[in-house]
Amino acid sequence: MTHETRPSYCRFCFNACAMLVDLEDGKPVAVRGDRSNPVYQGYFCVKGQQLVEAWRHPERLLRSQKRDDNGRHAPIASDAACDEIAQKLTEIRERYGPRSIALYSGTFSTANPASGAVVTAWMKALGSRMAFNSNTIDQPGKALAQALHGMWMAPFQDFATSRVALLIGVNPLVAMSGGIPQGNPGRFLSDALARGMQLIVIDPRRTETARRATLHLQPRPGEDAAIVAGLLRVILEEGLHDADFCEENVDGLDALRAAVDPFTPDVVASRAGVPAEQIVQAARIFAGAGRGVATAGTGPNMSGNGTLFEYLLLSLNTVCGRWLREGERVANPGTVVPPFPAIAQAMGPWPAWGFGEKLRVRGFTNTAAGMPTTVLADEILLEGDGRVRALINLGGNPVAAWPDQRKTIAAMKKLDLLVQIDIKMSATAKLADYVIAPKHSLEMAGITLNQDYLALYGVGFGYPEAYGQYTPAITEPPEGSDLLEEWEFFYELAKRMELPLALRQMGLVGPAKGEPVPLDMELKPTSEEIFAILMRDARISFEELKRHPHGAVFPDPPVFVAPRQEGWEGRLAVGSGEMMEALAKLAERPRAASDPEGYPLRLISRRMMNAYNSSARDLPALRAKGRHNPAFVHPDTLASLGLAPGDVVEIASDHASILGVVEADATLRPGLVSMSHAFGDVAPDATYDDAVHEVGSNTGRLTSVERDYDPFSGLPRMSDIPVRMVRATP
Ligand SMILES: Nc1nc2c(c(=O)[nH]1)N[C@H]1C(S)=C(S)[C@@H](COP(=O)(O)OP(=O)(O)OC[C@H]3O[C@@H](n4cnc5c(=O)[nH]c(N)nc54)[C@H](O)[C@@H]3O)O[C@H]1N2
Ligand SMILES: Nc1nc2c(c(=O)[nH]1)N[C@H]1C(S)=C(S)[C@@H](COP(=O)(O)OP(=O)(O)OC[C@H]3O[C@@H](n4cnc5c(=O)[nH]c(N)nc54)[C@H](O)[C@@H]3O)O[C@H]1N2
Ligand code: SF4
Ligand SMILES: [Mo]
């Protein structure tokens, strides 16, 4: 038997932890964090530790599947699947036009960086602009806010030099999500607190991150836009903002000042249910610290007003001048992407919506965040010209993750063709005409390209330094399997449909660089050849990256922020007309005032360490902790409802109801139910059976996509959902 250990990185989540893989006879048997790695320093979570189990999971699909007329799936050779799917897509395209073919990319579409580039080229060659992704059911307000506000052409102040961090509804110690840099957030936070950084957390739950905060505000959910307006009001009134920076670079300060005026500490305190002094204190700490940024996560983004909230948050960072200035060193200028031309000047706003494909539903168009996924089910269901008839899901799970599960299921069933690229028979795969079995990450090469792009996602995201890693495929696919890399599937379709593919590279700033590179459509390229195309203008060459198989920091040559260009006139906008109008509306009444009566509790979203959206919980070590998503409730709330931990309850919104298993959690604000999403499979409407313990409950079912949505992004309330709860009767 041969033994060896090879370096690689984990692609289970976006954190991309550097790891060491032990192999016996070429087969992975164990993985662990790489202690010698400069950024991760050995960090490795419980999901990553199950990577080998995921690779050899008994339910992993080793062959693609085709569904027969009775709804049963049976293996099909990948070649035959590609032939049949290409044929069907060609027919649909000829008959109904390219718009009738849509794509949805979910969280696992980013695990292999070749996927995004090839699928984008494929959609372009096909002539369909109906490409949707999970960003628009995540935090679309971030991209819309950036468009309305404009962009500072140098990064935000880096975490390592920050004296404060303000985290709103984000929990990086569990989600590896933002607010603390990517890599080893626990370690980075400890280091920062040790050097005196102050941490302010605003979250209705005393999260793992909030426990370490200098100041924790535990508000009602859904009032975050009002809270940030309140912080801005204190800061502007007390003159704590960066007046010089605003004078030189910012438009709309007077409009903002007027619009936040109604949000006095007392008003915000009564709306959000926190002491007024805490609002004042948080504002003074944040502004007074002089250095450090405010970052938000999914919680406030999913609680309505996500776009307005993110706009105000960006404005808070801007009026406090939290952007790098001339001469400062850029800690992370990017590694696998083209060099970042940091300049101390502003790029003014750009269109946030109203361009590209016009949707037939609720007046939406393409947006700066992408095509709004919340309308896709209706685009499938609504009869008429342009109806979506074919959908390909790349590494996403609509049935589990989209809001309004019943509508989603109806839409999936109505499609002429549903293709699911999935590692297992997920909730959506069960309804698919074809399920394409992909290679596992351990069987594929990779580069940390999407991790580099994360720095652009929002303030407080990305690596702390210019870090990058390349990994070759670590092992061969299991014997007897018939698997494709996700991009190969689209390449194979393109060949059969005679669609020429050309790859574009995205810069960290501005549009794609250079001319698209045509792919050889006769001789299939390797993943490495695709990476080489994607990295051709990168700051660090692909060859250089490969010389560091354990991953490395690439600080040289250092990048410093250049002075403003002569005659440059761009300015950031903190007084956007649409946003000030939305804020005026918000001032008229507290959030809860427009909620339906008879639903006294609020269900909020949260992530758990042992689940990754709809993935991970079927892995042995994680499964042992239970396969369902508990409904966490404060013990006092439980008592007042006459419930005990372990009880099965019915949780009803005014749209639908689900079952849940309650658990006591004293870290929650009373009156809330905190539950993870993307559980619940394709379970029928609430019935009392074992399914609730086996597959959990789908919180997406509680939300309608047709009302009470963010008017700019289309995102309905996926957190802060009004519900009531009673013991379920068997
Ligand atoms: N109520 C509520 N709803 C939410 C959220 C919330 O907080 N609350 N969060 C939202 C957010 S932030 C997001 S990003 C979306 C997530 O939305 P999606 O991305 O659509 O959902 P996932 O469950 O992450 O889907 C991942 C799919 O990839 C499959 N998969 C796993 N491993 C692999 C692999 O190696 N290769 C391939 N090809 N596939 C693989 C999984 O089996 C699964 O089917 O959900 C959103 N929905
Ligand atoms: N272990 C694990 N890690 C993950 C994922 C996972 O499923 N599991 N999912 C990945 C994905 S797709 C994403 S997008 C990121 C998301 O990363 P995060 O946004 O950090 O996700 P959460 O951990 O759910 O944190 C959201 C927080 O918002 C709080 N919250 C809920 N409603 C409100 C509100 O109205 N106002 C305020 N202020 N707070 C509120 C919740 O209590 C919770 O603590 O995580 C990624 N990482
Ligand atoms: S945090 Fe966990 S799941 Fe994510 S990359 Fe690291 S080890 Fe993998
Ligand atoms: Mo997400």
Side-chain angles (χ1 to χ4, degrees), residues 9 22 45 67 82 87 93 133 186 213 222 265 311 400 423 446 544 629 703 720:
Y9 67 92
D22 295 329
C45 88
R67 198 170 55 136
C82 290
Q87 167 94 37
R93 181 172 175 235
N133 64 57
Y311 184 80
I423 203 130
E544 175 66 11
N629 48 339
T703 301
D720 189 34

Side-chain angles (χ1 to χ4, degrees), residues 104-109 111 134-135 137-139 298 302 394-398 400-403 420-424 426-428 436 438-441 444 486 603 605-607 612-615 675-678 699-700 703 717-719 721:
Y104 169 68
S105 308
T107 48
F108 273 90
S109 67
S134 52
N135 181 39
I137 49 166
D138 189 328
Q139 298 161 73
T298 50
M302 289 176 184
L394 167 59
N397 192 355
W402 289 4
Q420 174 78 4
I421 308 176
D422 209 313
I423 203 130
K424 63 176 181 190
S426 63
T428 309
I436 301 299
K439 286 191 183 172
H440 186 267
S441 58
M444 299 193 287
E486 290 87 348
L603 185 136
S605 60
R606 60 113 44 81
R607 268 135 188 91
Y612 191 70
N613 301 323
S614 69
S615 297
M675 253 177 124
S676 279
H677 63 288
T699 58
T703 301
R717 275 160 76 175
M718 292 153 68
S719 186
I721 306 167

